[in-house]
Amino acid sequence: MPELPEAETVAKTLAPHIRCCVFESAELLRPDALHELSLPLSALSGAVCNGVSRRGKLIIAGLDWPEKPAGIVPSAIIFHLRMTGRLFMGEKAQGKHIRCLFHLRKPDGKPDTLFFDDTRTFGKILVATPEILDRWQFWKELGPEPLEIGPEAFAKRLKGARPVKTALMDQKVIAGIGNIYADESLYYAGISPLREAGSLTDAEAERLLKSLREVLLRSIACRGSSIRDYRDADGNEGGFQKSFAVYGRGGKKCRSCGGTLERMRLGGRATVFCPTCQN
DNA sequence: AGCGGGACCTGTGGGC
DNA sequence: TGCCCACAGGTCCCGC
């Protein structure tokens, strides 16, 4: 799933469920769901969730400590859902791919459980301190947020001989863009995914950033895209998949020129574009 | 240095 | 109906 709009939607829908809840205990059903840099889940006991945010495709549950215990105290739990990770609440385990359970105590004293479910097991949980984040290369190198960066800074980051689509999907260049939103934004910007990243003019880079923002914001408004696995924290599908212009539409008609959309592989990923409208 | 390809997993859908 | 293969929203690692 989870590119930026899906991570944003999960963060938004998860927050009201877990904000102000106490983490009492956790069960790790699949050990490799825990990131190699993570503190053990036992370090969470007594933490209170102070909110849920997002950075790129990462979902971040912030932690407060009403009574600080001795020892190392985590400041956040970071979830990377990768392809098929899901976060949702429930009374008891549901589904056969639950990787981790977090037992919570709500402000009213009632129990609740946060589930981390992940069919393909690529997803990761990181119980982190600021020092751990400082050692996490992926985090340190994560590029700027596409909804915050300005056009000049964005243009400067698009460089090199590699295809512009590959650059867009590089989390070091810009955070949160995956296969869907790379293809969609390049289509709306009228730029071929094969163009050398460094060959874009300032005007083209600005157009690409504008398209990227518009696509991301439209998708966020639809609560993300559900191709197959993705659901928000309430179990609801997104709706933006109904609006795809090119993703998954190889061989179909371009909605702008009526020509046939071309499908190819680029950097190992399925890529769809209009050879007439994008150059 | 930077690229392409494969690996990591499980499930699904299409073609035969 | 059933089998096999290709493919799936993301990163990481290796060799060239």
Side-chain angles (χ1 to χ4, degrees), chain A residues 158-165 191-200:
Chain A
L158 291 179
K159 50 192 179 196
R162 62 182 168 168
V164 62
K165 177 178 177 182
I191 297 168
S192 164
L194 294 165
R195 278 282 297 283
E196 272 188 28
S199 79
L200 266 63

Side-chain angles (χ1 to χ4, degrees), chain A residues 6-269:
Chain A
E6 292 76 30
E8 177 84 17
T9 305
V10 173
K12 270 186 204 155
T13 52
L14 185 59
H17 291 293
I18 70 169
R19 191 189 294 126
C20 301
C21 289
V22 180
F23 283 87
E24 296 202 317
S25 62
E27 298 169 58
L28 189 59
L29 305 184
R30 175 149 180 145
D32 63 2
L34 205 59
H35 192 283
E36 57 177 4
L37 293 176
S38 181
L39 295 178
L41 292 175
S42 57
L44 288 171
S45 296
V48 176
C49 177
N50 62 17
V52 185
S53 58
R54 173 196 65 73
R55 172 84 172 94
K57 301 171 187 175
L58 302 170
I59 294 159
I60 305 165
L63 302 176
D64 273 341
W65 291 87
E67 299 164 47
K68 261 195 183 171
I72 301 171
V73 173
S75 55
I77 313 173
I78 300 187
F79 299 96
H80 196 333
L81 304 182
R82 294 283 197 106
M83 302 283 259
T84 56
R86 290 192 203 178
L87 288 165
F88 53 84
M89 312 302 298
E91 295 301 309
K92 49 182 179 247
Q94 31 194 302
K96 53 176 179 170
H97 303 301
I98 307 287
R99 307 306 182 197
C100 188
L101 301 84
F102 298 88
H103 298 292
L104 309 178
R105 183 71 54 185
K106 297 201 274 192
D108 65 7
K110 290 181 182 155
D112 207 349
T113 306
L114 168 62
F115 292 94
F116 178 71
D117 177 287
D118 187 16
T119 304
R120 286 175 75 181
T121 74
F122 293 163
K124 293 290 177 192
I125 299 164
L126 175 58
V127 179
T129 60
E131 293 71 32
I132 287 175
L133 292 182
D134 216 43
R135 285 190 280 126
W136 187 20
Q137 209 62 16
F138 181 83
W139 176 266
K140 288 201 330 191
E141 293 178 352
L142 206 47
E145 289 288 326
L147 297 175
E148 289 169 13
I149 191 175
E152 299 82 9
F154 179 65
K156 267 187 209 155
R157 301 184 75 82
L158 291 179
K159 50 192 179 196
R162 62 182 168 168
V164 62
K165 177 178 177 182
T166 309
L168 267 186
M169 290 176 60
D170 182 344
Q171 302 301 298
K172 300 190 209 43
V173 172
I174 190 108
I177 310 307
N179 204 29
I180 294 177
Y181 300 102
D183 275 11
E184 293 293 310
S185 60
L186 285 164
Y187 172 77
Y188 288 113
I191 297 168
S192 164
L194 294 165
R195 278 282 297 283
E196 272 188 28
S199 79
L200 266 63
T201 64
D202 286 350
E204 286 175 320
E206 186 165 352
R207 225 162 66 215
L208 179 53
L209 180 60
K210 186 165 174 282
S211 302
L212 190 52
R213 283 176 195 275
E214 285 173 359
V215 163
L216 294 174
L217 289 172
R218 280 202 292 132
S219 180
I220 289 169
C222 294
R223 308 165 58 82
S225 307
S226 291
I227 306 304
R228 180 171 293 173
D229 300 285
Y230 166 70
R231 299 293 182 275
D232 69 18
D234 293 316
N236 296 314
E237 293 188 15
F240 193 62
Q241 66 280 4
K242 293 171 190 156
S243 306
F244 290 157
V246 285
Y247 179 83
R249 297 193 67 242
K252 297 191 176 152
K253 280 187 178 172
C254 169
R255 293 190 177 134
S256 175
C257 74
T260 304
L261 296 175
E262 196 166 310
R263 184 175 200 273
M264 62 175 298
R265 282 197 98 71
L266 203 168
R269 315 304 303 277

